[in-house]
Amino acid sequence: MRGGLFSLVLSAATLFCAPVMAQHNAQILSFDDLDGWAEDDHQAALEVFLNTCPDMNDGEWLRLCAVAQQQPNARTFFELFFRPVLIGGDEPALFTGYFEPELSGSLTQTSRYRFPVYRMPPDVVEPWHTRREIEQDGLLEGQGLEIAWVDDAVELFFLQIQGSGRIRLPDGRVIRVGYAGRNGHEYRSIGQELIRRGIYQPHQVSAQVIGSWVRRNPTAGRELLYHNPSYVFFRVIRTRNPDDGPLGAMNRSITPMRSIAVDPRFTPLGAPVWIEKDGESPLRRLMIAQDTGSAIQGAQRADVFYGFGDEAGLEAGRIRDPGRMIVLMPIELANLMVPDA
């Protein structure tokens, strides 16, 4: 889960090539309509596009990927071969942020490191046991499923929400973990529960605020975490470069401030997406759709990857902004989506 969400296992056809059927609420724009387009670093976007375009399974996308691999002028490449398509522009847009957390942990259980990060049990059939049952009853203890133990139950909870992260060991080594599966129970927002109880107003809620409240109220805080019955299991992620980003839904490392999570029913994974995010920190940038999440639903919905660590987490946690997003589609596919354009 990322930014209150986690990547789902979707079919390859859904993930890498959204349907190109005619969209009644789609509109083809010109690049002049994109606020700030000329000022962006198009080369940076092209490099991120190249990370995943070979994995797209549509012939038109693969042809453009082959062109991109010849290192053309980046801005010319996007303007020559793509058309900006506004999908669902009548919907209110929502941008949020996510990040890769870093936790302190150990390969052995100690008095400090006592909260286990579990692998996927072999006998999980959805829906399986709830978070409360798994943790209170110690259902997984003694089965050798622990990847590591961490020192903070709240950070472990948010690791499950983000769906991937780093665990830094006492000797400085880092283990990277990623989403492996879940217990099949629906995710329930503890932020929304705090709002429902009247403890906070909607504009006050962030991951930092929630974590602080849980730590100040350990008994009630533990019960609050149990309000979310969903439980996420992990796997060890091995990358050649430890500085690479976490793996997104396309099983490739994602890039801070260039990768976004989208709803693949509307936006093909691997597609360039122009972001016009408003709010306190406006953002006008060409991103690449390389991730998904269960809470990312709708054509005008995106989660921006801010990087890893506490600073990225603080920034990502503040983002809940309006704006609009425009998908760059190959010309032929754009014409299929909007046949009367």
Side-chain angles (χ1 to χ4, degrees), residues 42-56 61-72 74 77-78 250 252-253 255 270 272 288 290:
H42 303 90
Q43 182 60 40
L46 181 62
E47 291 172 4
V48 178
F49 175 72
L50 284 167
N51 289 341
T52 48
C53 70
D55 298 320
M56 301 178 79
W61 284 106
L62 292 175
R63 281 190 287 274
L64 293 188
C65 184
V67 175
Q69 290 169 337
Q70 303 303 312
Q71 294 297 324
F77 168 75
F78 289 118
M250 300 183 76
R252 296 288 184 270
S253 294
T255 303
I288 310 299
Q290 295 175 320

Side-chain angles (χ1 to χ4, degrees), residues 12-35:
T14 302
L15 279 177
F16 302 147
C17 186
V20 294
M21 64 188 69
Q23 300 280 342
H24 295 296
N25 58 347
Q27 176 185 1
I28 295 181
L29 307 179
S30 74
F31 285 94
D32 290 338
D33 296 322
L34 307 186
D35 181 26

Side-chain angles (χ1 to χ4, degrees), residues 119-314:
R119 295 181 178 86
M120 186 81 172
D123 59 343
V124 172
V125 177
E126 297 185 8
W128 204 58
H129 298 282
T130 65
R131 172 179 299 277
R132 179 188 295 274
E133 292 168 340
I134 293 170
E135 295 186 351
Q136 270 193 350
D137 300 341
L139 293 179
L140 299 178
E141 292 180 4
Q143 299 184 37
L145 295 171
E146 298 88 353
I147 294 174
W149 285 262
V150 296
D151 63 353
D152 192 311
V154 178
E155 294 298 326
L156 176 56
F157 180 88
F158 284 119
L159 174 67
Q160 294 193 3
I161 290 178
Q162 296 296 327
S164 65
R166 306 174 183 216
I167 302 172
R168 186 168 295 277
L169 305 178
D171 62 4
R173 288 182 297 154
V174 172
I175 298 174
R176 305 193 70 160
V177 294
Y179 176 83
R182 57 193 287 263
N183 62 347
H185 288 270
E186 184 178 356
Y187 170 78
R188 296 172 66 186
S189 168
I190 60 174
Q192 290 298 321
E193 178 63 12
L194 287 172
I195 294 169
R196 188 192 68 80
R197 297 179 188 180
I199 297 174
Y200 291 112
Q201 296 299 310
H203 70 277
Q204 297 175 306
V205 173
S206 68
Q208 290 73 32
V209 168
I210 294 170
S212 178
W213 189 89
V214 171
R215 293 185 182 97
R216 292 197 313 270
N217 304 274
T219 301
R222 188 173 182 84
E223 285 297 315
L224 177 67
L225 298 186
Y226 288 152
H227 173 75
N228 174 25
S230 177
Y231 195 92
V232 170
F233 303 102
F234 293 92
R235 60 190 176 98
V236 175
I237 302 295
R238 306 189 188 282
T239 58
R240 280 182 277 182
N241 185 348
D243 293 328
D244 286 345
L247 298 182
M250 300 183 76
N251 207 34
R252 296 288 184 270
S253 294
I254 57 177
T255 303
M257 303 309 296
R258 286 290 172 182
S259 297
I260 57 172
V262 298
D263 185 340
R265 295 176 301 170
F266 301 94
T267 303
L269 281 187
V273 181
W274 178 252
I275 292 296
E276 295 178 4
K277 185 188 79 64
D278 298 327
E280 291 187 7
S281 302
L283 186 63
R284 305 291 188 265
R285 184 167 294 184
L286 185 59
M287 304 284 202
I288 310 299
Q290 295 175 320
D291 212 351
T292 62
S294 60
I296 304 300
Q297 297 186 16
Q300 288 290 307
R301 181 73 175 91
D303 213 19
V304 179
F305 178 59
Y306 275 80
F308 74 94
D310 292 342
E311 185 175 342
L314 287 171

Side-chain angles (χ1 to χ4, degrees), residues 327-340:
V327 183
L328 269 59
M329 295 291 293
I331 294 174
E332 181 178 337
L333 299 184
N335 290 335
L336 288 174
M337 294 176 67
V338 192
D340 298 328

